[in-house]
Amino acid sequence: MFFAEQCFEYVKYHAQEENIPLKIPDPKLFTHQIPLLIECLMTIMYHDNLFLDQKNNLESHQIQINMNLGGQLLRSRTMRYIMKYMDEQYKCDIMYYYVERALEYVEQGQYIAKNFNTHDFFIKSKRFNTEPLAASPSFGNAHLDEFTAMKEHRQLIDDIKKDVPQHANYLEIYFRRLYLISSSLFRLTAELIMNLLDYQGAQRKNIIAYSEGYGMLMQIVNDNVDFIKDRGTLHKSSDDVQNDLRNATITLPLIYHAGKNSNGYIEKYLASRNTYYIDGQHNHILKEIIQSGALPRSVYVGERWAKHTFGFLHRHGSKKTAPKCYKNLADMLNIARRNRYYKHLDKAQDAYSKGKFYLCKDFCSSKRQHSKGKQTAPSERSTMGTTTSFQTVS
């Protein structure tokens, strides 16, 4: 995983700047083994998400059984890899501190999604949302409340909550859920790397804050692109478009959309759960959530998270002398502004402003067809963030 490798290089750079000697084991632990381990964990998480949300047409009982067995096998193979190939002195930290905690937090986040980030809870929480804005609902678990406090990001979260004061506390739960299912993995990765290197320097706190912010904006972008149809990825097929809406999972775009169009497809489906209103209607639904201003506002929130997260990156010297790892970490934030799904959003907004209807379909496949073999489709990584708009000098 690119994040782990760049985090390792970034820690090394700042340790050198601070004249802190590091305890560096075999570098392959950070450039190969830990990245592979993270990919395994993310695959397990995506697998569980596909299973819980019934994505990729998981309808038959037999397919569900096969998926469940596959998930168990993937877990056991991951543990076997750790036991067989990881250095003996790091196994305990990696197994307990990282792997077990990461999977535990994701499971807790999925539980919150199924029980609290739902339309049923959303409509029942009007009284709950009239409590003081500063009130932070407790999960009844002191450790979980502390872990998801997001102290370094509190000002930004509270500012975003002011945009929708009628849903402020619901929005708090939403952000905590994102933290558990996404930010926790990046935070634990950063902590694991710094612990293995024995780095306790001045940038430790900022590196953790960056990893948390990056995880948050990644999931916000994921919730935004759920409304946009395009070619599938390893964890999402083109038929999974608007799957959050289908599952009545209230994400940030739907929070902003609430009450904007009582006669629209979205409200009718959420009120009735009749799939007649959403089956084959993804273009109309996209138009609704764009024209209500909900999706553009949610995209802007992602940009705010990216700008905020960029502030935790620290370097010495000029832009030209900044280390490559700094530039790479900064560039990773551009997914909040530039990715292939948002190209549809720009095209759709332009069409609607001219009174036209936008047909959202597989953008990359269309591009390949029109190129007649002269140009190949850009890679996932290159289309998800290619500019350097956050690499500015303060």
Side-chain angles (χ1 to χ4, degrees), residues 66-85:
N66 293 342
M67 284 288 290
N68 189 31
L69 292 174
Q72 295 178 27
L73 181 61
L74 184 57
R75 280 175 165 81
S76 66
R77 289 294 177 89
T78 300
M79 296 304 178
R80 185 184 303 177
Y81 171 77
I82 294 172
M83 298 306 295
K84 185 174 181 179
Y85 294 105

Side-chain angles (χ1 to χ4, degrees), residues 8-197:
F8 168 60
E9 296 295 336
Y10 190 71
V11 172
K12 284 201 306 178
Y13 168 76
H14 280 290
Q16 183 178 5
E17 290 288 318
E18 299 170 47
N19 294 317
I20 298 176
L22 295 180
K23 180 182 69 174
I24 301 181
D26 185 347
K28 289 183 180 180
L29 176 66
F30 302 97
T31 60
H32 293 77
Q33 291 183 307
I34 290 179
L36 175 60
L37 182 59
I38 297 171
E39 291 292 349
C40 290
L41 290 181
M42 293 187 73
T43 302
I44 292 172
M45 294 172 186
Y46 283 131
H47 172 278
D48 291 349
N49 185 58
L50 292 174
F51 186 77
L52 291 171
D53 289 347
Q54 296 293 286
K55 291 182 179 179
N56 281 343
N57 301 314
L58 297 179
E59 297 175 352
S60 76
H61 180 64
Q62 185 60 49
I63 292 178
Q64 293 181 26
I65 293 176
N66 293 342
M67 284 288 290
N68 189 31
L69 292 174
Q72 295 178 27
L73 181 61
L74 184 57
R75 280 175 165 81
S76 66
R77 289 294 177 89
T78 300
M79 296 304 178
R80 185 184 303 177
Y81 171 77
I82 294 172
M83 298 306 295
K84 185 174 181 179
Y85 294 105
M86 294 289 188
D87 191 287
E88 190 67 35
Q89 62 178 318
Y90 308 122
K91 288 180 182 178
C92 183
D93 286 342
I94 292 173
M95 287 279 288
Y96 174 73
Y97 180 79
Y98 180 68
V99 176
E100 291 299 324
R101 290 185 68 197
L103 292 176
E104 176 187 357
Y105 288 138
V106 170
E107 288 177 359
Q108 291 169 331
Q110 290 171 337
Y111 172 82
I112 293 170
K114 289 297 181 182
N115 291 276
F116 298 101
N117 282 140
T118 66
H119 181 251
D120 291 339
F121 184 82
F122 186 76
I123 61 176
K124 293 177 181 177
S125 61
K126 291 182 179 180
R127 180 187 62 80
F128 175 67
N129 279 308
T130 60
E131 296 175 3
L133 185 63
S136 294
S138 172
F139 290 137
N141 182 311
H143 170 72
L144 202 59
D145 288 340
E146 175 64 23
F147 184 75
T148 59
M150 297 177 281
K151 296 177 182 178
E152 297 299 319
H153 315 283
R154 181 48 48 187
Q155 184 60 57
L156 174 60
I157 292 173
D158 288 345
D159 286 345
I160 295 172
K161 287 161 67 175
K162 291 177 183 178
D163 291 340
V164 281
Q166 70 275 28
H167 304 306
N169 287 324
Y170 188 92
L171 193 57
E172 175 76 23
I173 292 179
Y174 169 75
F175 280 130
R176 290 201 196 183
R177 194 257 295 181
L178 298 196
Y179 189 89
L180 287 169
I181 66 174
S182 184
S183 292
S184 62
L185 177 65
F186 293 99
R187 168 182 168 174
L188 292 176
T189 299
E191 288 183 344
L192 176 66
I193 291 172
M194 289 188 287
N195 290 346
L196 293 176
L197 292 171

Side-chain angles (χ1 to χ4, degrees), residues 290-319:
I290 288 178
Q291 292 194 322
S292 72
L295 191 54
R297 289 179 72 185
S298 188
V299 169
Y300 177 61
V301 169
E303 293 178 1
R304 292 176 68 182
W305 270 99
K307 183 178 180 180
H308 164 79
T309 303
F310 176 75
F312 293 107
L313 291 176
H314 176 79
R315 58 178 171 79
H316 302 284
S318 66
K319 182 178 179 180

Side-chain angles (χ1 to χ4, degrees), residues 263-282:
N263 293 317
Y265 290 93
I266 294 174
E267 283 77 5
K268 287 179 179 178
Y269 171 72
L270 290 175
S272 66
R273 302 295 170 83
N274 186 342
T275 58
Y276 167 80
Y277 294 109
I278 59 174
D279 286 345
Q281 303 295 338
H282 67 271

